[in-house]
Amino acid sequence: MRSLAVASPVPPAAAHRRRLRPSASGREVVSQCLKCEINQDRPMGALRIGHSQGNLPRHGSKNLLTPAAAAISVEQVEVSTYLPKGDMWSVHKFGGTCMGTPQRIQNVADVVLGDSSERKLIIVSAMSKVTDMMYSLVHKAQSRDDSYTEELDKVFEKHMAAAKDLLDGENLARFLSELHSDISNLRAMLRAIYIAGHATESFSEFVVGHGELWSSQMLSYAVQKSGASCSWMDTREVLVVKPSGPDMVDPDYEESEKRLEKWFSRQPAEIIVATGFIASTAENIPTTLKRDGSDFSAAIIGSLVRARQVTIWTDVDGVFSADPRKVSEAVILSTLSYQEAWEMSYFGANVLHPRTIIPVMKDNIPIVIRNMFNLSAPGTVICKQPANEDADLDACVKSFATIDKLALVNVEGTGMAGVPGTSSAIFSAVKEVGANVIMISQASSEHSICFAVPEKEVAAVSAALHVRFREALAAGRLSKVEVIHDCSILAAVGLRMASTPGVSAILFDALAKANINVRAIAQGCSEYNITVVLKQEDCVRALRAAHSRFFLSKTTLAIGVIGPGLIGATLLNQLRDQVAILKENMNIDVRVIGITGASTMLLSETGVDLTRWKEEMQKEAKPADLANFVRHLSEDHVFPNKVLVDCTADTNVASHYYDWLKKGIHVITPNKKANSGPLDRYLKLRTLQRASYTHYFYEATVGAGLPIISTLRGLLETGDKILRIEGIFSGTLSYIFNNFEGTRSFSDVVAEAKEAGYTEPDPRDDLSGTDVARKVIILARESGLRLELSDIPVESLVPEALKSCSSPNEFMQKLPSFDQDWARQRHEAEAAGEVLRYVGAVDVLNGKGRVELQRYKRDHPFAQLSGSDNIIAFTTSRYKEQPLIVRGPGAGAEVTAGGVFCDILRLASYLGAPS
């Protein structure tokens, strides 16, 4: 005899006597109510015992629970049927999404029938949203909200409609009969809760468990339609659990195994469809495995039968390397160890509940995560540590997870050092208020201890600590109990991190380069995870930066282009032609998420279509607003690496570089105004650049596409001493003087250069020498000289009389009147075997610079240029006898945009892209 406590709102005497009789098959034992053999009305207090639904309808409702539970005796006929264990069993668990509609339930049945395993045990959740609906019923009833009756009707209608779509004939009649009975009983129970204004935990868990009862019955009937041998199991008859803490239970494996063997002796079917989530206490009181309990059910039962594997069917292709809602490039992991899955679950990854792993881990039973809606996806296997992975960076860090809405509590004071029991006192106070400590970090000197708790619990924690340490704070032994709000945790998880040197360094380098400040760090000696606390507003950016750095996704640059003029438009076209190649060959993902001109701007969340950016600028552009443009870039939390590319020559735009860099936005530009402007601003800009991981690149400011700045830096960084830098820095003036020969007039050559697009719209901007002077001052400052632009004497090529011309056209009309003066200078140079060249020079030894028209012998390198080529000669301690010369095209949109593009790729390399 075995006694089961069964609740009933009617007196125990009303419970019907039951007898056990063998089924038609002779193997199964079916309990049938004696009264129900005559009268089909269901008694409210009757106990339902699982049976093969293909043989007889079940009788009795599902154990309505009362505080004074009635004990009824059930006779059992022992049948010595052995419960086989081992690889013949496969366990499947289907979540609420998989069971969400009648068609999906049928699809689940098809998957079950398609499994070739000898024996199958199927665990199912309630239909999608039903568990929440059931919890809502209890909440509304105990709140005395009359709408609980309407909600119960919705629950009934949902399952009735699903059954009518899925089932037919006798199976449909059986299910609907039981559904009516269940709803009637629930209505009575909820009415009692409504009157009392209170629901015990047992009442609540009994109510919410009905969703699994109904969904599993429908699936069982659906499987039976194919003629397969299938039994339905109410796991409350098998799984026994005991409370182990708030909202937590532990399985009683020994008792559960005994009950499973007895259950199987009555119904040894090849396919068993069982309820997830619900169980019973040792006293046979219905309970649940708490939230996410269906996965736990599958793992426990898989352990009890020593299954070959447990498959968890869900709506994703497997376990991702990061939350795909935050990291669009997250990848599906083919394998995970039990420990990795445990760590990921703890830190909030949507993998499994951490407790799900415990039952299967002790028996080395693999868990497979599969997508019910994409059967071709192989999924993720969670098992013992895979032996086929090399300990490289790709394998050592498996995934990243985050927890938001946390607060960091910092307890600090010199009186803590070396004092036994301080930590115990701190966490005893935390325990008293029931707070959950997510992470702990302590300085080795014991001078401070900090720990993370949920934001909603920190006020109580802070108050408790102030009470506990009131005397220590007053005496100065503790200096403060500090709370830092709005924090998040980022965790890097991987079993092989412990055996791979440099993992921590790479992680923190990635965070630093993304301008992320780390508040606290924790790492266990097992090194399964590295945990950092940071500002919540930085969390997504940090996640993407770390994910990218470990090559789990591409190095992504979110770019805002300022000035889509000649150079900016050319750059956008170059990017358009290369983005696919950069993704494929260099793992660099370039996204232009904004373009702004003087009057309009185009913004995008995921990236402008560069094949039609001009059309979009016309159709979808907004009025230009530089502040909003920068805000769009800086507040974007999707992409960790943000870059502003200034393709203008605007002084106002250049004045914002410092603020942008301070916000963590990288700056790339051919605009010379910032580096040749006031010296104090330049020094402030460079100091910030050197002190942070935010980059400022400006190669194109001096030589367009020529590597002038990088060559100079290479010389200085390797210890060479710069003596002199001299060169032809203007492609426009190089073109003019290379073609000013023979009988050609100066004005004709200038007109030709203007027509070819080499000059500015007003040629006086080139002929004045100011542009060359800016390049000279940039090189002088890069060489260590602290000079202002006004310190550079400049020889202007604009005749004094023409400086006041009101327009470029007027200037060009009057320029021929000075051709004779230019012809005379050319003749004098030719007579001496020389040529005219407009050069800039930096005399580093004497701390001077100059810009002027010079004459050079025809065998001099400066005299042998053609077209618009530039040439720069570096005279250094190493290159004293024979200067180091850099020569090439120095003007034109293509080469200037190319120089900017090179800086973009250099930035990507600095941020972790392969070189």
Side-chain angles (χ1 to χ4, degrees), residues 200-322:
T200 65
E201 182 180 2
S202 297
F203 271 54
S204 297
E205 296 197 330
F206 180 75
V207 171
V208 299
H210 277 72
E212 279 71 18
L213 292 167
W214 296 326
S215 63
S216 58
Q217 290 159 23
M218 284 192 286
L219 176 60
S220 179
Y221 284 128
V223 172
Q224 288 177 27
K225 285 196 301 185
S226 68
S229 171
C230 176
S231 291
W232 173 81
M233 177 195 288
D234 180 347
T235 49
R236 294 177 300 185
E237 299 174 27
V238 172
L239 295 186
V240 179
V241 298
K242 49 193 173 184
S244 59
D247 204 34
M248 189 177 295
V249 294
D250 283 336
D252 184 336
Y253 289 99
E254 184 177 354
E255 180 62 24
S256 296
E257 189 166 8
K258 289 178 181 178
R259 293 194 182 189
L260 178 59
E261 288 174 350
K262 290 180 180 179
W263 187 96
F264 190 81
S265 71
R266 300 193 300 268
Q267 303 184 73
E270 295 178 356
I271 302 175
I272 300 172
V273 177
T275 55
F277 182 55
I278 57 178
S280 292
T281 67
E283 296 77 23
N284 301 312
I285 306 298
T287 186
T288 70
L289 298 176
K290 315 310 175 187
R291 282 289 191 177
D292 300 313
S294 292
D295 288 352
F296 198 14
S297 300
I300 295 169
I301 291 178
S303 174
L304 293 178
V305 300
R306 312 296 190 270
R308 183 181 74 257
Q309 72 178 34
V310 175
T311 304
I312 307 292
W313 292 90
T314 180
D315 56 359
V316 293
D317 286 346
V319 180
F320 284 90
S321 55

Side-chain angles (χ1 to χ4, degrees), residues 334-340 381-392 395 398 495-496 499:
S334 59
T335 59
L336 277 175
S337 69
Y338 294 122
Q339 291 88 348
E340 287 166 338
V381 179
I382 300 172
C383 56
K384 192 175 179 180
Q385 179 178 345
N388 60 344
E389 293 182 356
D390 297 326
D392 56 17
K398 279 294 186 68
L495 196 62
R496 296 184 182 273
S499 59

Side-chain angles (χ1 to χ4, degrees), residues 83-158:
L83 172 64
K85 298 177 183 178
D87 287 353
M88 75 282 294
W89 286 102
S90 66
V91 175
H92 298 263
K93 180 266 175 177
F94 294 92
T97 307
C98 302
M99 301 288 291
T101 66
Q103 182 58 56
R104 290 181 181 180
I105 295 175
Q106 183 59 54
N107 293 341
V108 167
D110 294 340
V111 169
V112 170
L113 294 168
D115 181 357
S116 59
S117 300
E118 183 179 342
R119 294 184 180 275
K120 290 162 276 193
L121 225 162
I122 315 304
I123 312 295
V124 298
S125 299
M127 294 181 72
S128 180
K129 307 298 182 184
V130 168
T131 299
D132 289 337
M133 295 171 75
M134 303 304 285
Y135 273 115
S136 177
L137 283 174
V138 177
H139 175 73
K140 288 185 175 183
Q142 67 182 358
S143 301
R144 293 177 174 151
D145 181 346
D146 291 324
S147 66
Y148 81 87
T149 58
E150 298 174 6
E151 290 295 312
L152 183 60
D153 290 339
K154 291 179 182 178
V155 171
F156 170 72
E157 290 165 4
K158 179 182 181 76

Side-chain angles (χ1 to χ4, degrees), residues 696-766:
Y696 172 42
F697 292 145
Y698 44 86
E699 183 69 75
T701 56
V702 175
L706 297 180
I708 306 302
I709 299 292
S710 56
T711 299
L712 175 57
R713 283 189 176 176
L715 293 170
L716 292 169
E717 289 168 0
T718 57
D720 203 353
K721 183 178 181 181
I722 308 298
L723 305 177
R724 180 182 178 85
I725 305 172
E726 185 178 17
I728 297 173
F729 295 100
S730 169
T732 302
L733 296 177
S734 177
Y735 179 88
I736 289 173
F737 285 102
N738 287 338
N739 288 277
F740 182 46
E741 56 186 7
T743 60
R744 299 193 66 185
S745 69
F746 187 76
S747 60
D748 282 346
V749 175
V750 172
E752 180 182 272
K754 186 174 185 297
E755 183 69 23
Y758 287 116
T759 73
E760 296 292 332
D762 188 340
R764 285 175 294 182
D765 293 340
D766 297 291

Side-chain angles (χ1 to χ4, degrees), residues 646-663:
D646 173 21
C647 294
T648 72
D650 192 294
T651 302
N652 178 58
V653 174
S655 69
H656 293 288
Y657 291 177
Y658 182 86
D659 294 333
W660 297 343
L661 290 170
K662 203 166 184 180
K663 289 180 179 178

Side-chain angles (χ1 to χ4, degrees), residues 156-229:
F156 170 72
E157 290 165 4
K158 179 182 181 76
H159 289 85
M160 181 177 66
K164 288 181 177 179
D165 281 351
L166 180 67
L167 309 175
D168 54 28
E170 188 177 353
N171 286 346
L172 176 60
R174 291 172 184 167
F175 178 80
L176 291 181
S177 175
E178 293 299 333
L179 179 64
H180 278 285
S181 176
D182 293 340
I183 293 297
S184 176
N185 292 336
L186 285 174
R187 197 178 303 277
M189 176 172 278
L190 290 168
R191 178 61 181 170
I193 294 173
Y194 178 91
I195 294 171
H198 173 71
T200 65
E201 182 180 2
S202 297
F203 271 54
S204 297
E205 296 197 330
F206 180 75
V207 171
V208 299
H210 277 72
E212 279 71 18
L213 292 167
W214 296 326
S215 63
S216 58
Q217 290 159 23
M218 284 192 286
L219 176 60
S220 179
Y221 284 128
V223 172
Q224 288 177 27
K225 285 196 301 185
S226 68
S229 171

